[in-house]
Amino acid sequence: MAAFWAATLLIGEFMIDKELMPKHVAVIMDGNGRWATLNKVNRISGHNAGMLAMKEIIKRADILGIKYLTVYAFSTENWKRSAEEVGGIFSLLVKYVASELNELNENNVRVKILGDYSKIPKAAVNSIDKALETTKNNDGLQFNIALNYGSRLEIIRAVKKIADLVKNDKIEIEDIDEDMMSKYLYTGEENGSIPDPDLIIRTSGEERLSNFLLWQCAYSELAFTDSLWPDFTPDEFESIIEEYTKRHRRFGGR
C-alpha cells in the first residue's frame, strides 16, 4: 500500500499515476487586457491581476510536483504596445520579484529566464539578476519566465551559434542534428537543458501559439480555455492537468 501512495497523486477526486503527470507545463497567459476592459479598470490593473493569478499557479504547480513551469510573460512583439503599458508591465515585474522572491527561494523554486532580457529597463534587469542569483542553487520547481522572447528569433540565434562553430572548424556540417539545435536554444544548456513541454496551456479562448516554443512544441499536448488569465484558477489548472493524464501520447507511433 505504501508503494501505491508513493506512485500516485490525488488530483481533484482522482488518484493519478505520477508517471502520467507532465514534467514540463508551459502557459501562454492571455487575456489581461480584455479582463481589464470587462472590469472597467486600466490595462495595468489587468496585468497586476494577471501577476496575482500567476503567483497562485506557481504554487499549485509546485504542489502537484511539476518539475518545470514556463510562462510567456513578454514577447518580442509586445514592444509594439504603448510605452505606458510596456513600462507598467516591467514595473510590475520589479514589484513581483521584490514581494515574492523570498517565498520562491524558501520553497526551493529556481528562476530562469528565456529570452534576451538585457534589453528591458535597468530596474527590471536588476530584479531578474537578483532572482537568478538568489535561486540558482535551488533544485525544486524550475520557474522559467519567457521575457523579451520570440521563438523565431530564438531559432535564428541558435542557427547563428551553430554556423559560427562550423565557420571556426569546431564542428562539421554533418554534426548538426536535432540534439545540437536544441542545445543552443534558450531551453538548452544555458538554462539547464529544459525538456520540451509536455503540455502547453493558453487562456482567453485564443487557439494559437503566437511564436512561443515553436521548436520545442513538436509533440506537446495543447489545451485551450476561455478563461481570461486573471480568472484562471489553480483548480482549473489542476483540472487541465487531470485531463492531460488521460491522453495517449503516441509521438508519431501507433
Side-chain angles (χ1 to χ4, degrees), residues 74-228:
F74 191 88
S75 76
T76 49
E77 290 77 26
N78 287 156
W79 293 105
K80 299 174 185 176
R81 299 183 181 186
S82 71
E84 179 184 7
E85 182 175 358
V86 170
I89 289 171
F90 289 121
S91 293
L92 285 173
L93 177 62
V94 173
K95 175 184 173 183
Y96 174 80
V97 173
S99 64
E100 305 302 326
L101 181 55
N102 286 341
E103 184 174 352
L104 290 171
N105 191 42
E106 288 170 2
N107 285 284
N108 201 29
V109 174
R110 177 169 54 185
V111 178
K112 291 287 188 179
I113 300 296
L114 311 184
D116 182 6
Y117 75 97
S118 67
K119 292 180 170 57
I120 69 177
K122 185 63 176 176
V125 170
N126 292 340
S127 291
I128 290 296
D129 284 341
K130 182 177 180 181
L132 295 177
E133 179 63 25
T134 301
T135 66
K136 67 181 181 180
N137 295 320
N138 293 344
D139 58 4
L141 170 69
Q142 181 163 311
F143 176 45
N144 308 306
I145 306 173
L147 194 61
N148 194 27
Y149 172 89
S151 191
R152 287 182 173 181
L153 286 177
E154 174 188 30
I155 292 169
I156 290 170
R157 172 179 177 265
V159 169
K160 287 180 176 179
K161 288 185 175 223
I162 294 170
D164 192 58
L165 292 174
V166 174
K167 178 182 177 180
N168 289 288
D169 296 321
K170 293 183 178 179
I171 63 168
E172 300 292 333
I173 290 178
E174 291 74 18
D175 295 329
I176 302 171
D177 57 13
E178 290 186 16
D179 288 340
M180 181 174 291
M181 186 69 179
S182 296
K183 176 180 177 180
Y184 288 102
L185 297 173
Y186 284 120
T187 49
E189 284 188 348
E190 66 185 282
N191 281 311
S193 298
I194 302 164
D196 292 342
D198 300 296
L199 173 65
I200 298 177
I201 300 170
R202 181 167 187 154
T203 59
S204 86
E206 304 293 345
E207 297 185 0
R208 57 181 178 272
L209 291 173
S210 297
N211 200 19
F212 183 53
L213 301 177
L214 299 181
W215 174 276
Q216 298 90 334
C217 77
Y219 285 101
S220 301
E221 295 293 318
L222 306 178
F224 303 101
T225 172
D226 290 333
S227 297
L228 300 175

